[in-house]
Each structure stands twice: as C-alpha cells, then as structure tokens.
C-alpha cells in the first residue's frame, strides 16, 4: 500500500518486517562529506562497473548505499551491488556484505531529496513496534535514475536491521 499524495509528492509504502539472508557484495567504501555525496556515488559506480565487468562477476541486485552509523556532516558509506561471488579487490572496489536477519523495510516513492522523511517514518514505526534499530542501514535504488526522468518515478527501498 502506498501513501503517495495526490499532488505527486514523495511518499512511502507501509513499513514491514522481513527476514533476509546475508549477501556478498562488491563495494567502494569511504567517509564522504554530505556535499560530495553525488560525486562519490558517480565515481563509485564507474569503478564498480569496470571491476565487475573485468572479473566477470554477476550483479544480483540493483545498486545500494549502506550507511554505517548515524549521519552527520560526513557519512561512512559503502556503495555497491550484491554479487554472485566475492570480488578481488581492485581499483578501490572491495568485497563486503549486506547483513542477514530481521530487517524493517519500506519503499520510498519519489525524489532522493525527500528520503529523510521516509527514514524518519521507518524509525518511528520501529519505535512503535518496539524493534531496536541497528547502527547500519541501507537504501536499494530499485529504479535507476537518469537525467531526463521524472523524479516522482524513482523507487528506493529503505532497509534497517533489527537488533536482538
């Protein structure tokens, strides 16, 4: 169920609890200033594409951004893809993993500019359900953005592990 507003603004699906298996990933990781976030994503996707293609690795997911700890002036961030096997470290690309276990999830519809309100909605839902939130969380970019697309068509899956 979506809560998309009638004026076409960003919205989100209803939060849900899912169980996930851990997943092997190929990523670029760095501590990035908020102002440099877009450039980091762009450079990371270029490095990932080159390395994954050269090593003949299969991507098993859309792109994701895994955030370590709480955001501030900088973000400790991994950008990457779930892969069929570990990548050999090369050109800044390293092997990592997405965690398994219980994860609170919702899908954000619309511009990346409004992701903060969907993260807040997921956090509030977790508190109401008495689900302790993990330190890390990730966004899966279900819809690949392009310069000429309508931002309202973007879909981003928000995932927040539950600690036990």
């Amino acid at each position: 169920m979506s809560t998309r507003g009638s004026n076409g603004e960003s919205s989100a699906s209803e939060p849900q609890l899912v169980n996930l298996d851990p997943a092997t990933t190929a990523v670029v990781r760095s501590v990035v200033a908020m102002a440099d976030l877009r450039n980091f994503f762009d450079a990371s996707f270029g490095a990932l594409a080159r390395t994954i293609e050269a090593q003949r690795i299969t991507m098993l997911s859309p792109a994701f951004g895994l955030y370590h700890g709480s955001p501030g002036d900088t973000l400790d961030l991994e950008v990457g893809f779930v892969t069929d096997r570990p990548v050999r470290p090369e050109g800044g690309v390293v092997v990592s993993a997405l965690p398994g276990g219980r994860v609170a999830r919702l899908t954000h519809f619309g511009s990346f500019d409004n992701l903060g309100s969907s993260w807040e909605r997921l956090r509030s839902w977790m508190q109401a359900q008495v689900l302790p939130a993990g330190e890390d969380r990730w966004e899966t970019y279900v819809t690949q953005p392009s310069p000429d697309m309508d931002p309202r068509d973007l879909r981003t899956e928000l995932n927040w592990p539950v600690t036990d």
Side-chain angles (χ1 to χ4, degrees):
M1 174 180 180
S2 169
T3 58
R4 180 179 291 272
S6 60
N7 61 1
E9 291 180 0
S10 295
S11 63
S13 65
E14 293 300 316
Q16 60 181 327
L17 196 58
V18 298
N19 286 302
L20 301 177
D21 292 327
T24 300
T25 62
V27 302
V28 175
R29 182 173 182 176
S30 187
V31 175
V32 182
M34 291 294 265
D36 296 331
L37 202 53
R38 180 177 298 223
N39 291 337
F40 175 71
F41 271 86
D42 290 346
S44 297
F45 289 139
L48 284 157
R50 287 186 297 277
T51 300
I52 287 170
E53 182 178 341
Q55 295 183 24
R56 296 191 172 125
I57 290 175
T58 301
M59 294 183 292
L60 302 177
S61 75
F64 69 85
L66 173 63
Y67 300 88
H68 298 283
S70 297
D73 291 336
T74 61
L75 296 167
D76 184 353
L77 172 64
E78 293 181 23
V79 173
F81 299 92
V82 173
T83 57
D84 66 337
R85 65 184 187 279
V87 67
R88 279 187 330 274
E90 180 180 318
V93 177
V94 297
V95 67
S96 189
L98 289 177
R102 293 190 314 154
V103 173
R105 171 183 288 167
L106 68 74
T107 300
H108 170 88
F109 300 94
S111 170
F112 296 139
D113 295 338
N114 299 318
L115 281 169
S117 62
S118 289
W119 277 115
E120 179 57 30
R121 182 165 175 236
L122 185 56
R123 185 195 64 75
S124 295
W125 180 82
M126 291 176 74
Q127 284 182 331
Q129 303 297 313
V130 192
L131 298 170
E135 285 281 320
D136 299 344
R137 55 191 171 266
W138 74 94
E139 300 168 347
T140 300
Y141 308 107
V142 178
T143 308
Q144 183 176 349
S146 66
D148 58 341
M149 78 180 305
D150 185 336
R152 293 177 295 183
D153 294 333
L154 290 169
R155 286 186 344 172
T156 307
E157 187 179 81
L158 309 185
N159 297 279
W160 205 325
V162 175
T163 59
D164 293 312

